[in-house]
Amino acid sequence: MTLFSKKLLVPALLFLSGTIQAQNSNQPNEELIKTFDKALAGAAGQYKYLKSITPVDVMPKTFYATKKLETSKTSWWTSGFYPGSLFYLYQATKDTALYNEAISRLRILEKEQFNKGTHDLGFMMFCSFGNANAIQHDKKYDEILMNSAKSLSTRFNPTVGCIKSWDHGTWKFPVIIDNMMNLELLFWATKYSGDSSYYKIAVTHANTTIKNHYRSDFSSFHVIDYNPDNGSVHEKKTAQGYADASAWARGQAWGLYGYTVMYRATKDKKYLVQANKIAHFIIDHPRLPSDKVPYWDYDTPDIPATYRDASAGSIAASALLELSKYADAKNSSLYFKTAEKILTALSTPTYTAKPGENGGFILKHSVGHWPANSEVDVPLTYADYYYIEGMMRYKAMKNK
Ligand code: GLY
């Protein structure tokens, strides 16, 4: 049996040539690959410096202009990004000092597999132990990831159809758009264990989020507070955005990345449609600057006299590169070019710190929590993580 019958041969060849055309037009640029190779080597140097100033029992979080490194306990939501970035940088540079540092950080992070008090286990455990497994598979990491998926699943409420995000505050059952990023761990758990319950939780959470988090322009609310007894929406609010009705930039990027992963994991077209719509909200936005690195909220009235959020840019760039593989030719090229633009901008001195500066972090100019006046215009571990990931995804697309 040949691959195509004669009757199907012509359409099949047309289909294949169309695919090849789209892929060719998305071929990485050689000069940019060289730029990213240099950036990744610089990043490795920065992270070695960061290692030298970070106490062994905590994780780096941010660095302030007052030359103060801020660290976090492993229970903080960002604790997986530092080891995760070290694993990526090891893959990029083969520098074993980075690998060894990552492994030693996994030892302090491991206990979080049993943490049932957070929805952030995907960020914390999949970006770290998942990346470790991709380099050298270890059954112990599988076990840790399975326990993490089990812990995360305890936060799912079938009446609401969502995983609860936070236990703090006066919320009833808060779900934040960021939570879309934790679902990849659940898909992994079903694949690994054969237990479909993790997959079902992820799909239900994503469907409920499409229904209640998204507005008609495909921007997203930050927080939906549900009534856990009947699943109704109690309030639509923000925590880190400018206003309840505004489009917080990082939230839009989390959603874009999250629905791209949903399509990868399920191949359900509705998630591709959702990711495309979110991508267009971002790319077509009149207040997206020409370098495509967004202001921290698309609706803050202070634009342009306010801060960019490099983290929102790097997350979107990495997501757009993946989405460009699934999209039709026109969108594919748009997403690829936009990602190129963002990563190019982030690789300039405007965003990339000089060696030994910025506390060893790679990127400057992210915003963590503007309303709380916390982490404003600073480096952040997740801005670095998705910037590294984006550059590596770009390089990996060569000749594909
Ligand atoms: N997940 C919290 C944030 O994006 O700041």
Side-chain angles (χ1 to χ4, degrees):
M1 189 67 182
T2 52
L3 185 57
F4 299 113
S5 72
K6 268 196 186 138
K7 212 165 138 194
L8 290 176
L9 191 61
V10 172
L13 286 176
L14 283 175
F15 168 76
L16 284 176
S17 69
T19 312
I20 289 162
Q21 234 174 24
Q23 285 170 343
N24 279 345
S25 65
N26 282 344
Q27 269 304 299
N29 168 305
E30 287 297 338
E31 280 310 303
L32 210 45
I33 287 186
K34 281 187 204 148
T35 301
F36 293 163
D37 280 337
K38 243 173 105 179
L40 288 163
Q46 282 292 85
Y47 266 49
K48 282 184 171 176
Y49 176 66
L50 184 55
K51 165 187 182 292
S52 76
I53 61 170
T54 306
V56 291
D57 55 344
V58 287
M59 298 290 189
K61 192 167 168 245
T62 187
F63 185 80
Y64 289 101
T66 51
K67 307 252 178 288
K68 186 179 169 294
L69 174 75
E70 194 169 291
T71 59
S72 72
K73 292 200 268 188
T74 56
S75 55
W76 183 242
W77 77 276
T78 59
S79 59
F81 294 120
Y82 175 59
S85 290
L86 288 164
F87 284 126
Y88 275 151
L89 289 173
Y90 165 71
Q91 282 178 304
T93 63
K94 298 287 171 267
D95 184 334
T96 50
L98 300 166
Y99 184 78
N100 294 339
E101 165 69 352
I103 294 288
S104 75
R105 297 290 164 164
L106 291 189
R107 287 190 204 110
I108 63 166
L109 185 57
E110 194 177 315
K111 60 183 176 300
E112 302 303 334
Q113 65 189 296
F114 302 113
N115 184 344
K116 296 186 178 66
T118 176
H119 71 134
D120 285 317
L121 288 167
F123 281 127
M124 294 157 68
M125 309 307 271
F126 203 67
C127 296
S128 51
F129 289 92
N131 285 9
N133 240 352
I135 294 171
Q136 172 130 28
H137 178 249
D138 190 326
K139 277 198 168 334
K140 192 176 154 220
Y141 299 154
D142 292 340
E143 199 183 303
I144 290 168
L145 288 169
M146 271 316 297
N147 285 331
S148 304
K150 280 180 195 156
S151 298
L152 178 58
S153 300
T154 63
R155 302 182 64 80
F156 179 72
N157 175 329
T159 305
V160 173
C162 275
I163 296 163
K164 186 183 183 194
S165 292
W166 298 327
D167 291 345
H168 61 258
T170 54
W171 310 97
K172 291 173 186 289
F173 189 101
V175 180
I176 62 175
I177 189 62
D178 325 29
N179 205 342
M180 285 301 303
M181 297 295 287
N182 294 308
L183 306 182
E184 194 173 356
L185 170 67
L186 300 179
F187 286 116
W188 176 89
T190 287
K191 226 180 193 167
Y192 178 75
S193 66
D195 178 349
S196 63
S197 63
Y198 303 102
Y199 185 106
K200 285 180 187 151
I201 289 174
V203 163
T204 307
H205 182 100
N207 293 345
T208 308
T209 299
I210 287 181
K211 197 166 127 215
N212 295 321
H213 262 86
Y214 279 89
R215 309 179 179 113
S216 57
D217 63 357
F218 290 90
S219 68
S220 158
F221 286 94
H222 184 202
V223 192
I224 304 294
D225 197 21
Y226 291 93
N227 181 334
D229 301 324
N230 61 19
S232 65
V233 172
H234 172 59
E235 278 182 320
K236 300 193 173 199
K237 305 287 283 181
T238 197
Q240 285 161 260
Y242 174 74
D244 294 341
S246 73
W248 173 51
R250 195 161 53 254
Q252 312 316 307
W254 289 143
L256 174 68
Y257 197 116
Y259 282 100
T260 302
V261 170
M262 285 305 298
Y263 180 66
R264 183 210 305 156
T266 65
K267 291 290 170 242
D268 184 334
K269 280 267 159 39
K270 102 170 152 239
Y271 300 128
L272 181 58
V273 170
Q274 184 72 13
N276 278 320
K277 299 279 192 194
I278 301 168
H280 275 278
F281 174 83
I282 293 172
I283 295 170
D284 302 340
H285 201 288
R287 288 188 288 280
L288 183 67
S290 58
D291 69 2
K292 313 294 178 200
V293 178
Y295 294 97
W296 68 276
D297 190 304
Y298 290 91
D299 296 306
T300 167
D302 296 339
I303 290 175
T306 190
Y307 302 103
R308 303 296 190 89
D309 180 11
S311 76
S314 68
I315 297 157
S318 186
L320 286 171
L321 285 177
E322 178 170 7
L323 190 57
S324 75
K325 296 185 194 170
Y326 313 140
D328 61 45
K330 192 166 160 232
N331 276 328
S332 177
S333 160
L334 175 69
Y335 300 162
F336 187 81
K337 288 196 167 80
T338 306
E340 268 186 335
K341 206 155 201 175
I342 297 170
L343 294 173
T344 302
L346 294 178
S347 303
T348 65
T350 305
Y351 294 97
T352 294
K354 289 199 188 106
E357 293 189 359
N358 209 32
F361 290 84
I362 306 161
L363 295 178
K364 304 178 277 186
H365 304 311
S366 288
V367 174
H369 195 327
W370 189 85
N373 196 22
S374 161
E375 300 179 335
V376 175
D377 199 28
V378 293
L380 291 168
T381 48
Y382 40 102
D384 288 358
Y385 179 89
Y386 291 101
Y387 171 55
I388 297 166
E389 183 182 86
M391 290 191 288
M392 291 180 68
R393 281 183 172 181
Y394 185 82
K395 282 175 42 141
M397 287 169 88
K398 193 172 170 216
N399 299 327
K400 286 279 163 60

